[in-house]
Each structure stands twice: as C-alpha cells, then as structure tokens.
Amino acid sequence: MHVWMLTWWGVAMLVFGLALAVLAGIWLLGRLTVPAGHPARAARHLPAWPARRPPRATLVVPMTGESPHMAPALASLLAQDYPEHEVVFVTQDEADPATALARRLSREHPHARHVLAGPAQVCGQKTHNQLAALATVDDTVRVFAFCDASHTAAPNFLASLLEPLLCGRARVAAGYHLVVPEDARLGTLGQAVVVLALHAFQTVPRLRQPWGGAMAMTRAAFDDLRVAALWGENVVDDVSLAARLVQRREPLAFAPAACLLTPLAQSWSGWTAWLTRQLAYPRFIMPGTWVGIGLGLFVLTGILCTAVLGGAGVLLGAVPAALGVPALGFLAGLLLVIRALAGLLPMRPPVWPWCVACGLALPLACWCFLRSAATRTMRWRHRAYVVGRGGRVERIVG
C-alpha cells in the first residue's frame, strides 16, 4: 500500500473516530440525564429540601393561541404537589383564544388566577407577559418559576424544579423536556432528535443553558440579576438570561427530574423555522457561542458527507475498498448511535424515518445556521420583531 494511502487511511480513521466519539458522547450524556425525565422515573423522584417549610412560589404560565394539547398541559400544572404555590396564567388581551381557557381554569381552581398583559411595545410578547404577571405577585412569594403552556408535567415537576434552589445549590435552576412524537414525519422526528441532543448537553455545566419552558429563580436572584430590566427590552427570555448568568458568573443548576413531555406533530417547514429561531437567538445575544455552534455543525456535517460519499464510492466500485473502510465503519457506528438515541424517547419511533431524520439533522442545522446569519427579524405568532445587538427589540411589526 502506498504511503499516501496509509496516510489517508490513518487520518480518516482518526477523524471519523473522533466524530463518532462526539456523537456517541451525546448518547452517553443523554443516557445519564434523560432517563430521569421519563414519566415513570420522574414521578418516583422525591424532591429533598430542608425540614423547614418551603417558601411560597409563583408559577407563571404565559399562554397564547389554541391547541388541543393546551388544556391537558395546564391541568397537569394545576395538579402540582408543591406545598404552597399559586399559578398565574397570563395572556395578551381579550382577543387571544387562550384567554377564555385561562379564565375558566382560574375560576375552577382557587390557587390559580389570570392576568391580561396587553400588547408588548419594546420587548418580546412572552417576556412582556411574564413581567406583567410578576408585577401582580405579592412580597411574600420568594421563588418564581416559569413554564410554557404546551407541555405536560408530572405532579412533582414544580417541586423538582425548585429543589436546587431550596437546598442552596444555586439561585437559578432549569429543567428541560422530551418530545413525544405524534407521527413519523421528518419534521416531527427531526425536532425530537435536536431536542434530545440539547437535553443531553444540560449535563455539562459549561454547556448548560436555562430553558424558558421550565426555569426558576429566587426573588433575590431575580432582583440582583436585574432580570426585569433585561427582559423588558429583549426578544427572548432564556437566552438573554443565559448571557446574564455568564456575565455575572451566576451558577445554573439543572434539575433532571423537572422534565416536561411535549406532544408534537411538526411539518418540515415548522422544523426549519423552529431551528432557525433557536440559532438566531444566540447570534443576537451570544455571538461567540453562535460562531462556535456553527463551526461544530459544519465540521460534523463535512465529516458525515465525506463518509457518505466514501461509502457510496466503495459500493459503486469508484473507491478502493481499503480506502472506504473508515467511512463504512463510521456509518455503521453512526447507525448504532442513532438506534440507541431512539431508546431515550418516551416512545420509540419507527426505525427508518428516525434514521433519516437523524441523518438530515446536521445538514439542516447548517442550512438554518446560514439563515440565522442573514436575518435581523424574528417572527413569532403573527408578530415580527426587529432585533438589534444583545437581543434588544428595536421595532415591533404587527
């Protein structure tokens, strides 16, 4: 075998091996973290906090639109077993379809109430809603929690989310979620695998990020970090908070048992729009992190494409078998990792649609990364936000 062939073989083995180790590492991190959020295990988790009576908490739930999943999700949030708390539903205005549901649930449950926030003028509507809700909370509440209205929670979700705060491990905590696929479309399964990867990264402190769908903080942290001023001009709650935590060197605790379940039936265009938003937020607010994400995505996608071309070349006889062995070995290992990732979901998806969705996730993420680089406008729920440096909202259209 020629020297150049040996060199190629060695370099290919090293590169493919490292890439496979990274992808297998995502599965391993998920294996350590995600099972705690599966319904059966999450329900068995017993939050531990000091013997003294836990402080009063407020759970803020911003709502908008209508969905068949919203009513059962809100019912699960109203059934939390945390000793003393209130649930505050908040909608934009009377015209919002979610307002009628919020009012009905507030009448039926004594520990729930509803707030009308009005339209946002200088920030994202969600952050505006959350601040409007907190403005109505009395001074006896010492802990704030935030949750979206489209996810189903176990009865101990709130207690699990607040556990790191009550035990003194941190002043800010976050949970996460798992997608429950309702169909086998590529958009649904593709978003499920991206959420699964992000969930796994929560295990690593340096990669950990607050997630707006399930996060909590003490009132003292909320005041010290000046969250009201931050959210009052920002397009998004969680990424802006992530940047503030890094700036102030404030630790973030991850509560793996505070895991929500998200029923999802997603189109291809819905997946790309969602993923573009997720990548655009750090571009505005944490540009260094955004660049690092892009480099990682393009390197892994380049390795994947090289492996696919190399494997196809071997099968077509265009590439010597000896040169194609590293590529075929990488693809075989990748299929094993993909099959293993499917076992981390609450419901195992069909094999081939799942494999195709996983294979497309990296190239699509690169495309969405490029789209995020070319936009200054964030569109969400029929409103468009022109966003400037740091995620500040410069203008709202619609």
Side-chain angles (χ1 to χ4, degrees):
M1 188 178 289
H2 295 294
V3 173
W4 71 268
M5 293 180 67
L6 287 173
T7 302
W8 153 256
W9 198 87
V11 171
M13 287 292 289
L14 176 62
V15 171
F16 287 138
L18 289 175
L20 189 60
V22 169
L23 297 173
I26 294 175
W27 168 79
L28 180 59
L29 291 174
R31 190 75 178 83
L32 296 173
T33 305
V34 171
H38 277 242
R41 294 190 62 176
R44 292 198 300 268
H45 177 72
L46 298 176
W49 51 67
R52 65 180 183 273
R53 187 175 183 177
R56 286 191 65 205
T58 290
L59 176 60
V60 176
V61 185
M63 302 167 56
T64 189
E66 52 187 348
S67 162
H69 303 303
M70 187 177 292
L74 298 179
S76 72
L77 294 176
L78 288 166
Q80 294 301 298
D81 58 15
Y82 186 79
E84 190 174 355
H85 72 282
E86 65 171 350
V87 179
V88 182
F89 301 123
V90 53
T91 56
Q92 176 179 324
D93 51 34
E94 297 284 357
D96 195 315
T99 296
L101 176 59
R103 285 191 166 155
R104 177 174 65 81
L105 293 174
S106 298
R107 289 194 302 267
E108 294 173 354
H109 298 270
H111 66 300
R113 55 191 179 86
H114 172 236
V115 172
L116 283 176
Q121 302 296 328
V122 292
C123 64
Q125 187 63 48
K126 181 184 177 183
T127 57
H128 175 73
N129 286 6
Q130 292 174 149
L131 293 175
L134 292 180
T136 69
V137 174
D138 65 59
D139 293 338
T140 63
V141 174
R142 310 311 303 166
V143 182
F144 303 146
F146 307 88
C147 184
D148 288 344
S150 55
H151 315 283
T152 303
N156 61 351
F157 160 75
L158 181 58
S160 298
L161 181 62
L162 299 183
E163 181 180 9
L165 279 56
L166 304 184
C167 293
R169 296 202 300 269
R171 300 195 303 169
V172 184
Y176 213 67
H177 67 133
L178 290 171
V179 167
V180 182
E182 295 191 318
D183 56 41
R185 288 185 295 174
L186 292 180
T188 301
L189 299 182
Q191 188 163 327
V193 72
V194 174
V195 169
L196 194 58
L198 295 174
H199 196 149
F201 289 143
Q202 294 290 78
T203 310
V204 184
R206 288 187 176 274
L207 300 178
R208 186 175 299 160
Q209 298 284 314
W211 176 57
M215 63 183 178
M217 66 189 80
T218 63
R219 181 187 283 269
F222 184 86
D223 293 337
D224 293 346
L225 296 170
R226 301 187 68 245
V227 176
L230 176 69
W231 287 355
E233 62 180 12
N234 214 282
V235 70
V236 66
D237 54 349
D238 47 13
V239 182
S240 63
L241 179 61
R244 180 60 54 90
L245 294 178
V246 172
Q247 179 188 22
R248 299 290 183 88
R249 298 185 178 181
E250 181 80 29
L252 172 69
F254 177 52
C259 181
L260 299 168
L261 298 181
T262 308
L264 183 69
Q266 184 67 283
S267 65
W268 178 271
S269 60
W271 178 26
T272 57
W274 171 82
L275 189 51
T276 301
R277 282 197 306 273
Q278 307 314 304
L279 291 167
Y281 291 138
R283 174 186 166 243
F284 294 125
I285 300 170
M286 305 174 74
T289 299
W290 177 77
V291 171
I293 292 171
L295 288 174
L297 290 175
F298 278 98
V299 168
L300 287 175
T301 302
I303 293 171
L304 174 63
C305 292
T306 301
V308 171
L309 292 174
V314 171
L315 296 177
L316 295 174
V319 175
L323 294 180
V325 167
L328 291 174
F330 171 80
L331 293 175
L334 181 60
L335 283 175
L336 292 176
V337 172
I338 288 172
R339 290 294 305 275
L341 283 172
L344 298 179
L345 292 177
M347 297 175 59
R348 187 178 285 271
V351 174
W352 288 115
W354 174 252
C355 290
V356 173
C358 290
L360 292 174
L362 279 173
L364 182 69
C366 290
W367 166 241
C368 292
F369 180 86
L370 294 176
R371 291 179 65 193
S372 73
T375 183
R376 286 190 59 211
T377 302
M378 301 296 295
R379 300 183 183 277
W380 182 245
R381 296 286 184 180
H382 312 297
R383 303 193 83 184
Y385 303 90
V386 180
V387 184
R389 184 179 179 86
R392 294 179 179 85
V393 173
E394 297 180 349
R395 190 170 76 256
I396 300 176
V397 181

